[in-house]
Amino acid sequence: MQYSGFNLHIRLTTACNADCHYCSCESDVASDRMPIDDLQKSLTFALDKFLPRTSKKTYCSAEVIGGEVMVLPTNYLKQAVSVIKELAGSKVERVDVGCQSNLIGSRNKIDALREIIDTHSIGTSKDSFTNKRTINGDADKYRELATKGADYLSATSGATIGTVIVFDKDNIDKVINEYKIAEKAQ
């Protein structure tokens, strides 16, 4: 079946377990999390205002982001994803919910994330060569923990994890090297 779709990026928190230099939600005040009531109101408003102004949509791809979704309580994340599927699902035939995560967390937390998020819809990010993704200012610690989480997810899901790499003037010369790392992982 051919789907006509749209994408939602839903920032559930600005809290994070890392301190990356180019965070997309840099904030002086890290929120705990978006209240479920606010999520329901925001989604209802967005869907009611957006969908009537477009051609008929049959598919919604929703990505929950942060901050970092791994810092959210598991029950909260389950509830948020359920609300997203229910509200978007009332407007379209199919809803997939994915997330972007640094995967820095316990195996139990990664397993819980896999149970909540749709199959093969967890992405991560890499920075093999700069010091822009860190934990308490330590890029090597970030790489170690993020790699450990991604390797565990890949091994338990049997899938290659989709990965985002941010390039800028400090690492543009490393594009080929990052590609070679990804190619080896295939």
Side-chain angles (χ1 to χ4, degrees):
M1 170 175 251
Q2 184 75 17
Y3 289 104
S4 171
F6 64 98
N7 300 313
L8 293 173
H9 286 230
I10 303 164
R11 189 173 309 281
L12 296 176
T13 184
T14 58
C16 192
N17 55 6
D19 51 347
C20 304
H21 291 265
Y22 40 70
C23 182
S24 66
C25 71
E26 188 173 349
S27 173
D28 290 339
V29 179
S31 66
D32 182 28
R33 58 186 170 261
M34 180 190 296
I36 293 296
D37 189 48
D38 289 355
L39 174 62
Q40 290 171 318
K41 288 176 189 173
S42 298
L43 274 175
T44 299
F45 176 82
L47 293 169
D48 287 349
K49 294 295 182 188
F50 166 72
L51 289 176
R53 297 176 180 192
T54 69
S55 60
K56 179 165 173 50
K57 302 296 182 199
T58 57
Y59 171 71
C60 172
S61 172
E63 183 172 7
V64 293
I65 57 175
E68 175 53 50
V69 296
M70 292 285 283
V71 304
L72 294 168
T74 300
N75 286 336
Y76 169 83
L77 187 57
K78 272 185 198 175
Q79 190 177 4
V81 168
S82 177
V83 164
I84 294 164
K85 287 184 174 189
E86 178 185 329
L87 290 176
S90 71
K91 306 285 186 183
V92 297
E93 297 171 26
R94 178 178 165 193
V95 179
D96 290 329
V97 179
C99 75
Q100 187 69 17
S101 172
N102 62 26
L103 298 172
I104 295 174
S106 70
R107 288 180 171 199
N108 287 342
K109 192 71 173 181
I110 294 170
D111 290 340
L113 189 63
R114 276 188 59 216
E115 289 177 20
I116 297 167
I117 300 298
D118 289 321
T119 305
H120 308 301
S121 295
I122 301 172
T124 193
S125 54
K126 283 280 208 190
D127 183 354
S128 303
F129 301 103
T130 75
N131 294 327
K132 293 191 176 186
R133 293 183 186 270
T134 63
I135 295 178
N136 297 321
D138 187 340
D140 290 330
K141 188 68 168 172
Y142 179 94
R143 280 190 276 276
E144 172 193 340
L145 294 175
T147 299
K148 182 178 172 183
D151 288 349
Y152 176 75
L153 178 60
S154 184
T156 57
S157 69
T160 301
I161 308 305
T163 304
V164 172
I165 301 170
V166 177
F167 291 107
D168 62 17
K169 64 180 179 58
D170 296 331
N171 68 348
I172 193 68
D173 60 325
K174 304 296 186 202
V175 171
I176 299 299
N177 295 356
E178 288 284 10
Y179 175 80
K180 287 178 182 176
I181 291 169
E183 193 174 44
K184 276 185 192 177
Q186 294 292 330

